[in-house]
Amino acid sequence: MEEYVFDREAYERRVKWFQEARFGMFLHWGLYAIPARGEWVRSVERMPEEEYMKYFREFDPVDYDPRKWARAAKRAGMKYMVLTAKHHDGFCLFDSQYTDFKSTNTRCGRDLVAEFLDAARAEELKAGLYYSLLDWHHEDYPHCGDSIHPMRENPAYSDEGREFDRYLTYMHNQVRELCTNYGKLDILWFDFSYNELRGEAWKATELVRMARALQPDVIIDNRLEVSGEGFGSLAEGHPTPYHGDFVSPEQMIPPQGVQDVNGNDLVWEACITMNNNWGYHATDHFYKPASMLIRKLVECVSKGGNLLLNVGPDARGNFPDEAMERLEAIGKWMDKNSRSIYGCGKAVRRGQAVIEKPDYGRITAGNHRLYYHVFENTVGAVPLTGVKREEVEAIRYLATGAEIPTISDWVYSNYPDIVFAQLGGDPVLPDPVDTVIEVVLKE
Ligand code: GLC
């Protein structure tokens, strides 16, 4: 096979919109919404196929209205959405010709993926599909010998007669269907490599070459090589033909962002749940407060990354109330402050070191501005570290455009090089979650 030559210019062109978008919605939905104990319910409870099939016979999301989903995502300030086309259980939310285990064969009879993509595009959002490389339904996928298959401990499900190559043909055919029959895909979110199942074990070069031939602008995550753990070959400086376009840290935010072996920043997206489950979980009410979710979005951007925030719709196709409340609250903050998110990243300027995170919050930068995010009020004026007085054109509240005066009172005289922004005498911040100070830099 000819040597793979990484085309950095094409790569940077491909990921540009993604780095500017910064904020997306992840959607985990399928049969597992009925047992409502998370998307791994079959594996965790070692549930036999025939027991799981009762959910297939029952699945009928009478309230499914993806336009409502897309509007909720847009309302929250999200710029893209990623829906599970097939999760580890193998159930296809699309009309695949290679299986009967699909949404068009359930009571709803609908191609849920097609409707989802139409809705996202109608709301002018970029749209992607998550596709699990695993498949606990397919006969040729490892069962008893696998480390996570629901029947992994049941000798009655030995791997005798299972042809993994036959599964790979099925998997590649489905990816081809998704890349052929559903218009322009913006993201292909594969999940996940584990043990010896990674890279060419998935025939990943052939898979990515096919996907890129059909969807030349699609961006692909790094999970043909790794999972939430590991960064992938692009980070290691020797990109494979199936290197991810972005690193996909899961349920955590990288302490320093993500860099390759040479210290160059990499494109990354943290995928995080609002509660503790990807799929709908009826008793998991441990939802992160909206204030925390806003600050985590700011944290991701301040470290040069994206946040893919998950919603697990219920079996009728509705978002949980807790999720809707948070999306609305995040949207309210984004209405006034999204300029400190979109097109922004680490507070680093030409030839200068990144500005250290301030005690009181975080800093994002972009559009020739620095954005000081004040999560916790300071005693006295707010030190705008990392910028010189002579570089400053104006200092404003981002939310209102109101001017913020600076102060160089005697108490600050020991720090002549630091610009201090005077937010006034009220100890309560104008926005107690995150008051954003916009520093417009001189051209
Ligand atoms: C893990 C989980 C999977 C989930 C994914 C999201 O891989 O196994 O259920 O879809 O994280 O990143």
Side-chain angles (χ1 to χ4, degrees):
M1 188 180 297
E2 78 263 18
E3 178 65 17
Y4 173 68
V5 178
F6 174 57
D7 182 345
R8 177 163 292 278
E9 198 253 318
Y11 165 72
E12 287 177 356
R13 194 175 51 244
R14 200 162 57 226
V15 299
K16 188 171 182 303
W17 73 263
F18 185 69
Q19 288 192 285
E20 289 172 355
R22 288 301 185 211
F23 190 26
M25 178 182 278
F26 215 172
L27 287 148
H28 279 72
W29 193 45
L31 302 184
Y32 43 76
I34 299 175
R37 301 190 292 273
E39 75 291 348
W40 273 63
V41 63
R42 262 214 74 193
S43 176
V44 170
E45 298 179 11
R46 291 152 176 76
M47 191 186 291
E49 181 73 22
E50 47 282 6
E51 191 181 325
Y52 196 66
M53 286 309 281
K54 72 173 181 271
Y55 304 127
F56 175 71
R57 290 187 289 275
E58 179 184 331
F59 188 68
D60 186 13
V62 290
D63 294 340
Y64 178 54
D65 177 354
R67 199 66 189 269
K68 266 171 69 177
W69 292 7
R71 284 198 195 103
K74 189 169 190 174
R75 170 64 198 117
M78 293 161 162
K79 290 288 189 183
Y80 62 99
M81 303 172 81
V82 180
L83 168 70
T84 49
K86 182 196 83 166
H87 204 264
H88 310 335
D89 62 354
F91 175 66
C92 299
L93 282 74
F94 64 102
D95 188 18
S96 169
Q97 62 171 311
Y98 299 99
T99 182
D100 294 333
F101 194 43
K102 58 186 178 178
S103 59
T104 40
N105 283 357
T106 64
R107 282 186 191 167
C108 77
R110 295 160 73 174
D111 187 319
L112 304 170
V113 160
E115 293 185 43
F116 160 76
L117 293 169
D118 289 347
R121 292 165 186 150
E123 292 297 326
E124 295 168 330
L125 300 175
K126 296 278 193 181
L129 295 176
Y130 164 113
Y131 183 84
S132 175
L133 299 164
L134 292 63
D135 194 313
W136 297 332
H137 176 82
H138 199 281
E139 277 307 305
D140 288 314
Y141 194 86
H143 284 51
C144 188
D146 189 64
S147 59
I148 47 180
H149 192 284
M151 296 296 105
R152 56 192 174 278
E153 291 156 357
N154 187 334
Y157 290 83
S158 87
D159 284 347
E160 199 176 321
R162 298 190 201 286
E163 290 281 325
F164 193 61
D165 265 357
R166 229 173 12 216
Y167 169 68
L168 291 181
T169 300
Y170 168 83
M171 187 260 276
H172 283 227
N173 282 337
Q174 285 206 321
V175 172
R176 184 179 297 104
E177 283 185 305
L178 291 171
C179 291
T180 306
N181 303 336
Y182 292 92
K184 185 177 184 305
L185 297 183
D186 297 299
I187 298 171
L188 265 179
W189 217 104
F190 290 112
D191 189 38
F192 60 96
S193 288
Y194 64 111
N195 303 339
E196 75 292 344
L197 288 178
R198 63 186 69 246
E200 286 310 332
W202 303 117
K203 293 188 178 172
T205 298
E206 185 186 318
L207 185 68
V208 169
R209 286 210 167 124
M210 174 263 289
R212 291 208 186 285
L214 293 166
Q215 297 282 345
D217 297 332
V218 76
I219 56 174
I220 299 173
D221 70 333
N222 65 342
R223 295 193 178 193
L224 283 166
E225 296 186 290
V226 291
S227 178
E229 104 298 327
F231 296 135
S233 57
L234 193 55
E236 289 149 15
H238 52 76
T240 61
Y242 45 83
H243 69 78
D245 290 325
F246 61 92
V247 177
S248 57
E250 177 178 322
Q251 299 288 41
M252 63 88 69
I253 298 175
Q256 307 299 333
V258 183
Q259 288 77 35
D260 67 18
V261 285
N262 303 315
N264 304 309
D265 284 329
L266 283 171
V267 181
W268 60 273
E269 172 198 71
C271 53
I272 292 173
T273 54
M274 285 195 194
N275 54 5
N276 295 308
N277 280 274
W278 300 100
Y280 180 70
H281 194 298
T283 58
D284 178 358
H285 298 292
F286 298 113
Y287 279 76
K288 302 168 184 71
S291 56
M292 179 180 176
L293 295 170
I294 290 165
R295 291 177 176 177
K296 296 311 164 194
L297 170 60
V298 171
E299 179 175 353
C300 288
V301 177
S302 75
K303 294 175 176 177
N306 286 26
L307 172 62
L308 186 64
L309 185 59
N310 183 77
V311 177
D314 65 22
R316 290 176 61 105
N318 296 308
F319 285 4
D321 291 344
E322 298 98 327
M324 285 302 285
E325 288 153 17
R326 282 151 182 80
L327 292 169
E328 175 61 30
I330 296 167
K332 277 208 173 67
W333 183 86
M334 286 291 274
D335 284 347
K336 306 278 189 179
N337 299 286
S338 62
R339 273 193 304 163
S340 67
I341 300 294
Y342 303 143
C344 290
K346 289 166 78 166
V348 62
R349 290 180 289 144
R350 221 182 348 275
Q352 297 184 29
V354 64
I355 305 174
E356 204 179 313
K357 172 194 173 319
D359 304 339
Y360 52 78
R362 298 204 175 263
I363 308 172
T364 58
N367 320 312
H368 211 66
R369 285 154 168 78
L370 291 170
Y371 296 101
Y372 291 79
H373 297 259
V374 187
F375 296 165
E376 175 192 347
N377 209 344
T378 49
V379 173
V382 179
L384 304 181
T385 46
V387 68
K388 297 186 182 71
R389 202 174 302 284
E390 60 271 19
E391 294 176 307
V392 174
E393 179 70 37
I395 303 175
R396 301 282 183 268
Y397 284 104
L398 181 59
T400 62
E403 184 174 36
I404 298 178
T406 60
I407 182 168
S408 43
D409 202 0
W410 65 275
V411 294
Y412 308 106
S413 55
N414 290 334
Y415 312 98
D417 297 339
I418 296 181
V419 179
F420 284 87
Q422 172 63 287
L423 301 193
D426 188 342
V428 178
L429 286 164
D431 181 334
V433 174
D434 176 9
T435 296
V436 185
I437 299 173
E438 178 183 48
V439 174
V440 184
L441 298 171
K442 284 180 177 155
E443 292 294 335

